[in-house]
Amino acid sequence: MLSYAEENYLKAIYHLSESGRHAVSTNAISEVLKTKPASVSDMIKKLSDKGYVSYQKYKGVNVSAKGKKSALQVVRKHRLWEVFLVDKLQFKWDEVHDIAEQLEHIKSPVLVKKLDAFLGFPKIDPHGDPIPDENGEIVIGKKIPLTDVKLDKQVIVTGVENSESNFLAHLDKINISLGSKITVKDINAFDGSMQIEILGYPNLFISKQVADNLLVTE
């Protein structure tokens, strides 16, 4: 059974490696987990001895097939708990990440299975990220930034590129959330800011930075 720290390392390596597609450096892991490179090296050796990661000197570390499977289960629990916190306990989407970081380490597979069923088998979390199923499979729909949308085309908000709490809180203030239907009405040629129409609300202007970080599906 993996420890709390081992699960955190596997999840970090999985995300940094873009789902296991390439190796990552110990310095990158150290920066994300806010720990010393020497501690990262010790943990990598430990995980390598257990068969969860592969490491090559000067090339970096990556999750093995076994490690990827374990990392995806942690990701699955994290995202399911975020759905539960938002949908059932009425937390805001900018408040749930840190709580889910704690809940993702619960070991009971029966609890996770029942939680999934209780929530209606959701496919995405409150930030639009896909939730792996119990076999670790992920279905990723095509999303594009709002800045790529043509004028007068209605799209649906299905995710965010930036999930920092201050950005999510800003979206709450301007009545944008997952599922919001948006139509781009005008684009400012000078700074890329946009006038948008949100179904059910008055038109408003958003900056190019906000539009870049809104992911939508046509």
Side-chain angles (χ1 to χ4, degrees):
M1 187 175 291
L2 290 164
S3 70
Y4 184 109
E6 287 170 333
E7 288 187 338
N8 279 341
Y9 270 84
L10 283 177
K11 187 178 70 167
I13 296 167
Y14 171 77
H15 285 313
L16 286 168
S17 67
E18 296 183 358
S19 308
R21 285 193 285 271
H22 60 79
V24 295
S25 70
T26 53
N27 285 338
I29 300 167
S30 172
E31 186 175 339
V32 166
L33 295 178
K34 296 179 173 57
T35 189
K36 295 178 181 178
S39 299
V40 174
S41 297
D42 290 343
M43 180 60 82
I44 287 172
K45 184 179 185 309
K46 187 176 180 181
L47 289 171
S48 179
D49 290 344
K50 291 183 176 183
Y52 287 99
V53 300
S54 58
Y55 175 74
Q56 287 184 290
K57 195 172 183 180
Y58 306 121
K59 291 187 178 180
V61 61
N62 202 348
V63 286
S64 64
K66 179 181 176 181
K68 183 177 180 179
K69 182 178 178 181
S70 295
L72 280 166
Q73 289 308 308
V74 178
V75 172
R76 168 174 164 78
K77 287 183 283 184
H78 182 103
R79 293 177 180 173
L80 282 173
W81 282 118
E82 287 194 334
V83 174
F84 174 78
L85 291 166
V86 170
D87 288 2
K88 304 302 179 183
L89 299 186
Q90 284 72 58
F91 279 86
K92 294 181 179 180
W93 63 344
D94 60 309
E95 297 175 328
V96 296
H97 179 75
D98 289 344
I99 303 171
E101 286 277 299
Q102 301 169 55
L103 293 169
E104 70 186 23
H105 299 288
I106 290 173
K107 302 298 183 185
S108 171
V110 176
L111 172 60
V112 177
K113 198 166 186 174
K114 286 183 177 290
L115 176 65
D116 192 17
F118 175 68
L119 295 171
F121 305 102
K123 302 301 181 188
I124 60 172
D125 72 8
H127 309 111
D129 294 317
I131 299 173
D133 66 17
E134 60 183 326
N135 298 314
E137 297 294 326
I138 296 178
V139 178
I140 302 176
K142 185 179 179 181
K143 300 175 185 177
I144 59 173
L146 186 61
T147 42
D148 287 353
V149 175
K150 295 178 181 178
L151 288 176
D152 296 318
K153 179 78 173 179
Q154 188 180 78
V155 293
I156 300 174
V157 177
T158 52
V160 289
E161 188 68 35
N162 181 345
S163 59
E164 293 180 6
S165 59
N166 57 353
F167 179 62
L168 299 179
H170 175 67
L171 293 183
D172 281 338
K173 286 181 181 178
I174 59 176
N175 300 308
I176 294 177
S177 60
L178 292 187
S180 292
K181 295 181 179 179
I182 292 177
T183 303
V184 178
K185 304 304 292 183
D186 190 32
I187 302 172
N188 189 312
F190 173 69
D191 61 5
S193 60
M194 290 182 167
Q195 181 185 10
I196 62 172
E197 176 183 274
I198 305 174
L199 192 64
Y201 295 96
N203 288 10
L204 79 153
F205 289 90
I206 61 172
S207 67
K208 184 178 184 300
Q209 184 179 6
V210 169
D212 276 333
N213 283 286
L214 277 176
L215 300 177
V216 300
T217 301
E218 295 184 353

